[in-house]
Amino acid sequence: MGIKVGDRVRFLNSIGGGIVKKIVSKDMVEVEDQDGFDIPTLVKECVVIEASIAEQKKENAPLNNSKPKPVILQETEPDEDDDIEEETKEGEKLNVSLGFVPDDIKAISTAKTDVYLINDSNYYLAYNIYNIGETHAFSRAGGIISPNTKIQIETLCKEQLPEIENLGVQMLAMKKDKTYLPKPAYDIKLRINAVKFYKLHSYTENDFFNEQALVISLIKDDEAQDLKGVSAKDVKEMLEQKETRMAARVSKKSNVKPEKLEIDLHIAELVDNLNGLSNKDMLDIQIKEFHKVMKENITCKGQKIVFIHGKGEGVLRKELLSELKKHYPKCEFQDASFLEYGFGATQITIK
């Protein structure tokens, strides 16, 4: 029997529960907790502990006329002198993140990804997570998250990952029945490269999940994260890529080849939309770009070309070297400078 409006439920993987007020979809309901907040919750995360009155009548079950006890947001009922919410000194500063957990990290190219909002603070957070369009926005998830908790807000299949490349996150912090230091309203713009979800090194050990996860900080010690959520390393890479593209355009106009060409084979640099592309499709596009560059420069003896392919799982590098040996056997190749590119690039010299 499915969950009905009016059912009293407890949360399966977090503290608390309440009464189902709305059926949002077949997978999502809104649960009103004891404080009157409507909390969006996955159906699979709810356990019915008392059916609605209508359902009880339908089943001819005896009704309990006594007023039900409120659901307390912790596993055991506190002593009268205890606070219901346990606060920490560190929690007085907002630390909020998004967490991405694949259901099978050994098959990240096809795995579904669970998306969590993580509230590592003493504050309730009213939140709205939305897609950013050119003129309009579309809300993906919204509600209120309790202090020092995480909630799952959706599950994405591979085809849906490009949908979250441009996100906005709005948040307002508050406490109930106590004084608190007010926080500003946040409206954070976040850009997530979907390629990250296909790289094993994106998923690391963390403080919020038992399994490895991709955790992206939205607010750190009350400060909204800048540069659309991009890390310093990503910024460095983007600046290098921009300089490379500018250098390539200048050299093309002047017909003068630079001493060393840098070609970025990351799929996000080659196509604008990854939607519907399989791993093989992406690899084919990257190898096609490799051949195009090689053919354009094959007559330029001594020309050095650095192909930036990233470390990843090594599939692209292996395929690139195979094609090089098969079609351009006279060309020399070596790992590019570690100081400049790490382990993620191969340098080829035209002979």
Side-chain angles (χ1 to χ4, degrees), residues 141-197:
I144 293 179
I145 181 172
S146 299
N148 299 302
T149 59
K150 64 177 184 286
I151 58 172
Q152 184 178 343
I153 55 177
E154 62 180 318
T155 298
L156 301 172
C157 60
K158 183 188 76 170
E159 291 75 18
Q160 292 175 295
L161 291 176
E163 294 178 9
I164 61 171
E165 287 196 328
N166 288 287
L167 287 181
V169 182
Q170 297 172 322
M171 279 178 282
L172 182 65
M174 70 197 87
K175 291 187 181 182
K176 288 186 66 67
D177 303 323
K178 62 180 71 174
T179 59
Y180 61 90
L181 187 64
K183 308 291 183 181
Y186 296 88
D187 191 357
I188 301 164
K189 303 300 187 294
L190 182 68
R191 179 170 177 80
I192 306 173
N193 191 333
V195 175
K196 284 181 177 290
F197 296 101

Side-chain angles (χ1 to χ4, degrees), residues 270-293:
L270 303 180
V271 296
D272 295 327
N273 192 343
L274 302 180
N275 204 4
L277 292 180
S278 66
N279 286 349
K280 183 180 183 304
D281 293 335
M282 290 188 281
L283 182 61
D284 288 344
I285 292 171
Q286 291 166 315
I287 293 301
K288 182 178 179 180
E289 180 69 13
F290 163 73
H291 281 299
K292 176 186 174 185
V293 173

Side-chain angles (χ1 to χ4, degrees), residues 289-300:
E289 180 69 13
F290 163 73
H291 281 299
K292 176 186 174 185
V293 173
M294 289 299 295
K295 288 175 181 177
E296 289 174 350
N297 293 276
I298 197 63
T299 59
C300 303

